[in-house]
């Protein structure tokens, strides 16, 4: 089987929130589709290890916010690489409660869709949740971020808990680069000197050695000392 075939599938980038009784969390999901139009339903695949999975199972509702291309990596990192079991991610961003009571993430999002759980399918490591849409609205104008944009333009990676994470591909050796690329040992973000990190004041063409010591990983916030040369 050639797993490269799977890499040709397109995805968006979304924040899925859930919870009840004062316990809420949100996480990044890319495996989300509108399953049907009338009635409108959404299907989203969530890793069983994630706190959001537990909250969807208990509360039987979830809300999706569509992430804009304008979202910085720190925002994606907050929802994609940090666990809601150890911090309240939703305190770090602007939210408001929706009709289901689940917080809607408003920062860097173009629209939101609220759903009540209608069914679920056990997929081994993940559960596919099917939700009936009960409310939705547009929050602002912009271009929705696709997973390809996140990876190719923003330099983002999949966490190990993502359904699209490919351990074989992640372990594959990249081609040698001219100036060394550095990998965050916490989240796997790759600092590419050719691209720099313009979102955080590091111009394209800056060698890792010349990045200020105050700079931190744009995804997980790890400091520069936690980066290692890409092998
Ligand atoms: Fe990191």
């Amino acid at each position: 089987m050639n797993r490269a075939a799977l890499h040709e599938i397109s995805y968006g980038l979304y924040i899925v929130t859930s919870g009840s009784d004062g316990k809420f969390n949100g996480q990044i999901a890319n495996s989300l589709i509108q399953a049907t139009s009338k009635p409108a339903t959404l299907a989203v695949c969530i890793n069983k290890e994630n706190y959001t999975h537990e909250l969807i199972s208990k509360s039987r509702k979830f809300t999706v916010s569509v992430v804009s291309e304008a979202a910085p990596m720190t925002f994606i990192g907050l929802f994609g690489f940090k666990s809601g079991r150890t911090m309240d991610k939703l305190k770090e961003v602007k939210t408001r409660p929706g009709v289901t009571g689940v917080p809607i993430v408003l920062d860097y999002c173009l629209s939101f869709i609220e759903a009540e759980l209608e069914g679920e399918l056990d997929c081994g490591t993940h559960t596919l949740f099917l939700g009936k849409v009960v409310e939705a609205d547009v929050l602002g104008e912009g271009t929705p971020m696709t997973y390809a944009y996140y990876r190719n333009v923003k330099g983002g990676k999949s966490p190990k808990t993502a359904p699209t994470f490919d351990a074989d591909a992640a372990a594959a050796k990249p081609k040698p680069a001219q100036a060394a690329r550095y990998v965050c040992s916490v989240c796997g973000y790759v600092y590419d000197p050719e691209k720099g990190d313009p979102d955080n004041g590091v111009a394209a063409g800056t060698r890792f050695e010349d990045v200020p010591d105050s700079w931190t990983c744009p995804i997980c916030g790890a400091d520069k000392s936690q980066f290692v040369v890409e092998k």
Side-chain angles (χ1 to χ4, degrees):
M1 180 171 72
N2 183 0
R3 291 184 64 89
L6 302 173
H7 302 164
E8 302 300 330
I9 298 172
S10 303
Y11 301 90
L13 212 66
Y14 311 93
I15 294 171
V16 177
T17 49
S18 185
S20 60
D21 304 322
K23 286 175 98 177
F24 299 103
N25 189 46
Q27 66 155 78
I28 292 279
N30 64 336
S31 49
L32 176 131
I33 57 163
Q34 179 180 342
T36 59
S37 177
K38 284 182 185 173
T41 57
L42 292 181
V44 64
C45 206
I46 302 286
N47 191 296
K48 289 178 182 174
E49 291 175 15
N50 292 358
Y51 185 38
T52 305
H53 185 284
E54 185 183 321
L55 295 176
I56 296 175
S57 296
K58 273 188 197 158
S59 70
R60 302 194 63 80
K61 50 199 181 182
F62 64 89
T63 294
V64 172
S65 289
V66 178
V67 178
S68 161
E69 272 187 2
M73 289 298 270
T74 44
F75 178 80
I76 297 167
L78 173 68
F79 286 103
F81 288 92
K82 295 190 177 176
S83 171
R85 287 194 177 91
T86 55
M87 71 174 294
D88 186 352
K89 300 188 227 179
L90 296 170
K91 272 201 175 140
E92 309 288 316
V93 297
K94 206 192 315 175
T95 64
R96 70 171 163 85
V99 296
T100 64
V102 172
I104 300 164
V105 174
L106 304 172
D107 291 347
Y108 305 112
C109 287
L110 302 175
S111 67
F112 72 86
I113 304 150
E114 296 186 79
E116 288 174 353
L117 201 62
E118 279 216 316
E120 53 198 282
L121 181 66
D122 188 330
C123 304
T125 55
H126 291 66
T127 300
L128 183 68
F129 291 110
L130 182 71
K132 180 183 172 190
V133 175
V134 293
E135 178 63 304
D137 206 353
V138 173
L139 295 167
E141 286 184 12
T143 306
M145 191 179 298
T146 61
Y147 188 64
Y149 183 91
Y150 165 69
R151 284 189 70 104
N152 300 335
V153 181
K154 308 286 272 186
K157 300 287 173 193
S158 281
K160 290 184 172 64
T161 52
T164 45
F165 178 80
D166 186 335
D168 296 341
K173 290 195 174 177
K175 292 174 203 158
Q178 296 244 306
R181 298 178 359 140
Y182 279 70
V183 185
C184 174
S185 58
V186 177
C187 75
Y189 166 81
V190 178
Y191 176 83
D192 182 347
E194 270 183 43
K195 291 177 183 166
D197 179 16
D199 278 355
N200 296 293
V202 180
T206 307
R207 297 185 324 148
F208 186 78
E209 293 79 356
D210 299 329
V211 171
D213 287 338
S214 56
W215 177 85
T216 55
C217 174
I219 296 184
C220 75
D223 63 35
K224 212 183 144 184
S225 65
Q226 292 185 271
F227 278 69
V228 294
V229 179
E230 187 181 54
K231 286 174 187 159

